[in-house]
Amino acid sequence: MTLNRSDTILKHIVEYFIKHAQPVGSQTLIDEYHLPYSSATIRNEMFALEKQGLIEKTHSSSGRVPSSQGYRYYCDHLRDKSVDNELKYSLQNILDEKIHSIEEVLKSSCEILSQMTSLVSVVMGPDEKEEQLANVQLVQISPNTITAVFVTNRGYVENKTFIIEKGINPSEIVSCVTLLNDRLKGTPIYQLVDKIKALKPVLNDYIVSHDLVYQALLETFLRFASDRLSLYGRDELFNNPEFKNDTDKLHRMFRLLNDNSLLKEMEEDVKSDSEEPIVKIGEVDGNPDVSTITAKVKLGSEGETSITLLGPTRMDYDKALSALEYLTEELNKYFAKLDDKGGKNGGDA
Amino acid sequence: MTLNRSDTILKHIVEYFIKHAQPVGSQTLIDEYHLPYSSATIRNEMFALEKQGLIEKTHSSSGRVPSSQGYRYYCDHLRDKSVDNELKYSLQNILDEKIHSIEEVLKSSCEILSQMTSLVSVVMGPDEKEEQLANVQLVQISPNTITAVFVTNRGYVENKTFIIEKGINPSEIVSCVTLLNDRLKGTPIYQLVDKIKALKPVLNDYIVSHDLVYQALLETFLRFASDRLSLYGRDELFNNPEFKNDTDKLHRMFRLLNDNSLLKEMEEDVKSDSEEPIVKIGEVDGNPDVSTITAKVKLGSEGETSITLLGPTRMDYDKALSALEYLTEELNKYFAKLDDKGGKNGGDA
DNA sequence: GATTAGCACTTTGGATAAAGGAGTGCCAAA
DNA sequence: TTTGGCACTCCTTTATCCAAAGTGCTAATC
């Protein structure tokens, strides 16, 4: 595919700005990319591009900078879609290993992704609306402490150690565990609290300090996956020149990583039926300095989650999009293949 | 206790600089603290303090700034040791709750600590040399995925979900779990890998895909508590004026939080027999901009850990030290009391 | 008609200089 | 011993200038 002149120039402007973080003028563009036009011609094209809202000036006699629309157009029509071989190689290395969990595959993938793109990778953890209880264990680890562990049908593990003032008879624990597993297995997490409330009278028959155990179970389940987002490569943000001498902007980005508006956006994105990655340019939580790219990952029979790349608006969209597209595609294949090998799709635990 | 004039002036210099992050001169000191001396007198005292190495000039005609030694002297002799009532109140609120785990108490404590002091709180996680295996579980969560969960004698939980290509008979899992618990319970974590290697032939008798299970167990235990440090209030660092317009310094601090030199320092500190908090002023990992205060916490019969407050060299040492001293003392009492209630000190699981 | 050379104009950023402010050290007087 | 006074130093802010990079426009050229 060969681009017309206007598109070529826009492409160069975007790529120059992504690379140098400096507004770019007509002459610079010619020098950098050896364009066979005069600077006046470039200026005329730039004037047109600006009227279309694709590029902007920072002041009346400055060079041009891509606008959000410009980035968008670049992502949709101009980028090269070139996948880094190093990414392919690193990813294959991970997926070729014999044994690993979903969580670990996602973690390693994100680490590579962050490293290759210099962006922050975010992966969504389990949603309590999707998870079901697979197994509960109570482990007595000292005369007055018990650790409750529960595993969901997708392999997420949550635990809480609690202290009880009176000792508990080990046999009580065994029967308690049996009871809980019998009654609660397969229950969606968000219904657990209610179910446990219903179980309270039954517990009384099984265990002496039923009240404490009951309280502890309640708290354990209430706290399910309170930190739903895992972040990788957070410190990459420091390397962006737009934040040198502007700690406030940087601070705002870091805050975005901590509060849950990001989670909300990711949840929305994973619900959409778009198969393509969703690119948000300077519109994340109202912060014009931040862009995100979110893609779904299908975990085979285990549902789906999403991975987001987050960085400054001036991020390398081509690299990031290509990497994320490649990665999610490979992961989808990988998880699908695992399902095939494992026989029929997982029935309820 | 009433201070002599020299100490009074040093105290004011330190406190002014902590508050305003600006070098302080003789006249400013008089204005701010209504001192009954002339500026010339103050200057003479300052001259003496500088000769003793307690304060410094940033240039020949600048005001004074505390040196590391100055801060040290301040911590040892001049600070007020005033504990914030809000801290007392918040902490009591936590400790009065009926049910919570060690981890949670430490977590909540650190969150309060960070909030009150505007510093980063760091708490050390379990040490694999101290932890013993209390319980192993294998939970089959779908035809081809199994989650291995293990709990240590102090209630730390580690897990790994792994994918096996062939289905496993549920009864095999049960006998495998029994076997593992029989043979491994009470084993120190760092010996687990070897013990499992020794168990390999026995596993063969119990489970068809023994090789995969064996591999998976190995990996699970190899990965124990790889992130040994929990951080709270990381973003507080952004609020320090010394980092405005100096992203590099900030970056260096963030890097310090990620790499493990901090962990090493904390491990050393917890080994020392000092009962007092250990204050490191501008000497953490060779970074002159960082100070830390580390205090041990005795977890009753569960050994001990340490909490570190980390911030810029210009931190409020009085507030931080007082808060940390108060907090650790209360926690020590709290955990000791729990032990009493629980009967004899915890025998091996 | 599209392209380009040429030119006037705008804005930024860096350098330089001047002025003001906050501070010091020292000396002599109280 | 303390303090008023003073000369001196260095940083910071403000103003000014100038070069660099850029634009838009117009007229000439291909």
Side-chain angles (χ1 to χ4, degrees):
Chain A
M1 179 190 66
T2 171
L3 300 175
N4 64 33
R5 192 174 66 189
S6 166
D7 281 356
T8 308
I9 289 171
L10 178 56
K11 181 164 187 268
H12 287 321
I13 292 172
V14 173
E15 288 175 354
Y16 184 96
F17 186 69
I18 285 173
K19 187 170 170 196
H20 296 97
Q22 294 292 334
V24 51
S26 47
Q27 190 56 50
T28 310
L29 218 52
I30 293 171
D31 296 345
E32 179 99 358
Y33 300 105
H34 309 291
L35 302 184
Y37 318 107
S38 76
S39 65
T41 307
I42 307 279
R43 279 201 292 282
N44 288 335
E45 293 281 12
M46 282 176 154
F47 191 83
L49 288 169
E50 188 173 2
K51 266 205 288 191
Q52 294 170 62
L54 296 168
I55 58 179
E56 291 168 349
K57 286 190 282 196
T58 60
H59 59 84
S60 74
S61 75
S62 79
R64 301 310 212 290
V65 158
S67 68
S68 302
Q69 285 178 61
Y71 284 125
R72 176 76 59 191
Y73 188 81
Y74 173 81
C75 291
D76 292 345
H77 303 107
L78 308 178
R79 69 195 190 85
D80 288 326
K81 309 193 181 185
S82 52
V83 180
D84 198 317
N85 278 322
E86 210 180 317
L87 172 67
K88 293 186 184 176
Y89 182 76
S90 307
L91 185 61
Q92 283 316 322
N93 263 356
I94 294 176
L95 300 185
D96 285 350
E97 275 176 38
K98 274 185 201 154
I99 293 182
H100 34 207
S101 64
I102 292 179
E103 260 179 294
E104 255 186 310
V105 169
L106 291 174
K107 179 185 162 155
S108 306
S109 302
C110 284
E111 278 168 355
I112 295 176
L113 215 48
S114 280
Q115 206 187 320
M116 309 284 314
T117 60
S118 300
L119 298 169
V120 182
S121 306
V122 190
V123 60
M124 256 181 30
D127 180 351
E128 64 168 7
K129 294 190 191 64
E130 307 280 338
E131 303 287 322
Q132 297 168 11
L133 189 71
N135 186 276
V136 192
Q137 291 293 329
L138 297 175
V139 181
Q140 179 160 23
I141 57 178
S142 85
N144 60 332
T145 45
I146 289 184
T147 299
V149 180
F150 72 95
V151 185
T152 75
N153 60 326
R154 291 197 205 166
Y156 291 102
V157 174
E158 193 87 15
N159 73 283
K160 181 171 167 107
T161 301
F162 50 92
I163 296 159
I164 48 169
E165 302 192 352
K166 288 173 198 156
I168 284 191
N169 188 326
S171 72
E172 283 185 324
I173 293 186
V174 173
S175 44
C176 188
V177 168
T178 313
L179 170 74
L180 290 172
N181 276 306
D182 281 354
R183 302 292 184 96
L184 300 179
K185 212 172 260 187
T187 310
I189 301 299
Y190 71 102
Q191 291 177 2
L192 269 175
V193 171
D194 286 337
K195 276 226 181 180
I196 289 181
K197 283 184 185 163
L199 268 184
K200 194 181 177 189
V202 190
L203 264 180
N204 297 4
D205 301 340
Y206 276 82
I207 201 157
V208 178
S209 48
H210 44 77
D211 216 51
L212 285 167
V213 171
Y214 167 74
Q215 281 296 337
L217 286 172
L218 271 191
E219 284 194 38
T220 310
F221 292 123
L222 276 175
R223 223 166 37 90
F224 178 73
S226 52
D227 33 322
R228 289 271 316 274
L229 296 184
S230 307
L231 304 179
Y232 305 93
R234 188 201 271 106
D235 284 10
E236 295 288 348
L237 290 177
F238 278 99
N239 298 322
N240 292 302
E242 41 265 81
F243 302 135
K244 290 264 178 269
N245 304 323
D246 196 342
T247 322
D248 285 342
K249 260 190 198 164
L250 195 60
H251 194 175
R252 245 172 280 138
M253 302 241 349
F254 269 81
R255 261 197 293 254
L256 187 60
L257 295 178
N258 291 337
D259 72 17
N260 54 6
S261 53
L262 185 61
L263 176 61
K264 276 182 201 155
E265 302 227 12
M266 287 180 75
E267 277 179 336
E268 268 176 40
D269 291 351
V270 81
K271 270 183 221 148
S272 84
D273 17 76
S274 152
E275 288 303 310
E276 305 276 297
I278 297 177
V279 183
K280 293 192 174 163
I281 299 166
E283 50 184 312
V284 181
D285 196 36
N287 187 334
D289 303 317
V290 184
S291 285
T292 56
I293 305 177
T294 303
K296 273 189 266 195
V297 181
K298 289 177 194 147
L299 306 172
S301 58
E302 315 278 329
E304 58 188 10
T305 184
S306 71
I307 296 180
T308 291
L309 284 173
L310 180 148
T313 314
R314 181 197 60 82
M315 66 162 67
D316 188 335
Y317 292 95
D318 178 38
K319 198 185 221 183
L321 266 166
S322 305
L324 191 56
E325 278 169 352
Y326 176 79
L327 184 97
T328 51
E329 206 170 306
E330 292 297 308
L331 288 181
N332 288 346
K333 276 193 270 177
Y334 172 80
F335 287 121
K337 207 162 72 185
L338 277 182
D339 265 13
D340 288 350
K341 283 191 191 162
K344 301 283 162 264
N345 275 7
D348 292 359
Chain B
M1 179 190 65
T2 170
L3 300 175
N4 64 33
R5 191 174 69 191
S6 168
D7 282 356
T8 307
I9 289 171
L10 178 56
K11 181 164 188 269
H12 287 320
I13 292 172
V14 172
E15 288 175 354
Y16 185 97
F17 186 69
I18 285 173
K19 186 171 171 194
H20 297 96
Q22 293 292 334
V24 51
S26 47
Q27 190 56 50
T28 310
L29 218 50
I30 293 171
D31 295 348
E32 179 98 359
Y33 301 103
H34 309 290
L35 302 184
Y37 318 107
S38 76
S39 65
T41 307
I42 308 278
R43 281 200 292 283
N44 289 334
E45 293 280 11
M46 282 174 152
F47 190 84
L49 288 169
E50 188 173 3
K51 266 204 289 192
Q52 295 170 61
L54 296 169
I55 58 179
E56 291 167 349
K57 284 190 282 195
T58 60
H59 59 84
S60 74
S61 75
S62 78
R64 301 310 211 290
V65 158
S67 68
S68 302
Q69 286 178 61
Y71 284 125
R72 176 76 57 191
Y73 188 80
Y74 174 80
C75 291
D76 292 346
H77 303 107
L78 308 178
R79 71 195 189 84
D80 288 327
K81 310 195 179 182
S82 52
V83 180
D84 198 318
N85 278 321
E86 210 180 319
L87 172 66
K88 293 186 184 175
Y89 182 75
S90 308
L91 184 61
Q92 283 316 323
N93 263 355
I94 294 176
L95 300 185
D96 285 350
E97 276 176 38
K98 275 187 202 153
I99 293 182
H100 35 206
S101 63
I102 292 179
E103 260 178 296
E104 256 185 311
V105 170
L106 291 175
K107 179 184 164 163
S108 307
S109 302
C110 283
E111 279 167 355
I112 295 176
L113 215 47
S114 281
Q115 207 186 321
M116 308 284 315
T117 60
S118 300
L119 298 168
V120 183
S121 305
V122 190
V123 59
M124 259 182 29
D127 181 351
E128 65 168 7
K129 293 189 192 68
E130 306 280 338
E131 302 287 320
Q132 298 168 12
L133 188 71
N135 186 275
V136 192
Q137 291 294 328
L138 298 176
V139 181
Q140 180 160 23
I141 56 177
S142 85
N144 61 332
T145 44
I146 289 184
T147 299
V149 180
F150 72 95
V151 184
T152 75
N153 59 327
R154 291 198 207 166
Y156 291 102
V157 175
E158 194 86 17
N159 72 283
K160 179 170 168 110
T161 300
F162 50 92
I163 296 158
I164 48 170
E165 301 192 352
K166 289 173 197 156
I168 284 191
N169 187 326
S171 72
E172 282 185 325
I173 294 185
V174 173
S175 44
C176 190
V177 167
T178 312
L179 170 75
L180 290 173
N181 276 306
D182 281 355
R183 303 291 186 97
L184 300 178
K185 210 172 263 187
T187 309
I189 301 299
Y190 71 101
Q191 292 178 3
L192 269 176
V193 171
D194 287 335
K195 275 226 180 177
I196 289 182
K197 284 184 184 160
L199 268 185
K200 194 179 177 189
V202 190
L203 263 181
N204 296 7
D205 302 339
Y206 277 81
I207 201 158
V208 177
S209 48
H210 44 76
D211 216 50
L212 285 168
V213 171
Y214 167 73
Q215 281 297 336
L217 286 173
L218 269 192
E219 284 194 36
T220 309
F221 292 123
L222 276 175
R223 222 166 38 89
F224 178 73
S226 52
D227 33 323
R228 290 270 316 274
L229 296 184
S230 307
L231 304 179
Y232 305 93
R234 189 201 268 106
D235 285 10
E236 294 289 348
L237 290 178
F238 278 99
N239 298 322
N240 292 302
E242 40 264 82
F243 302 135
K244 290 264 177 267
N245 305 322
D246 196 341
T247 323
D248 285 342
K249 259 190 199 162
L250 194 60
H251 194 175
R252 244 172 281 140
M253 300 235 3
F254 270 80
R255 261 197 293 255
L256 186 61
L257 295 178
N258 291 337
D259 72 18
N260 55 5
S261 54
L262 185 61
L263 176 60
K264 276 181 201 153
E265 302 227 12
M266 286 180 75
E267 277 178 335
E268 268 176 40
D269 290 351
V270 83
K271 270 182 222 148
S272 85
D273 17 76
S274 152
E275 288 303 310
E276 304 278 296
I278 297 176
V279 183
K280 294 191 174 164
I281 298 166
E283 51 184 312
V284 181
D285 196 36
N287 187 332
D289 303 318
V290 184
S291 286
T292 57
I293 305 177
T294 303
K296 273 189 265 194
V297 181
K298 289 178 195 145
L299 306 172
S301 56
E302 316 277 328
E304 58 187 10
T305 185
S306 71
I307 296 180
T308 292
L309 284 173
L310 181 148
T313 314
R314 182 198 59 83
M315 67 163 66
D316 189 334
Y317 292 95
D318 178 38
K319 199 187 221 180
L321 267 166
S322 306
L324 192 56
E325 279 168 351
Y326 176 79
L327 184 97
T328 51
E329 205 169 307
E330 291 297 309
L331 288 180
N332 288 347
K333 275 193 270 178
Y334 172 79
F335 288 120
K337 206 162 71 185
L338 278 181
D339 266 13
D340 288 348
K341 282 192 191 161
K344 302 283 162 263
N345 273 8
D348 291 3

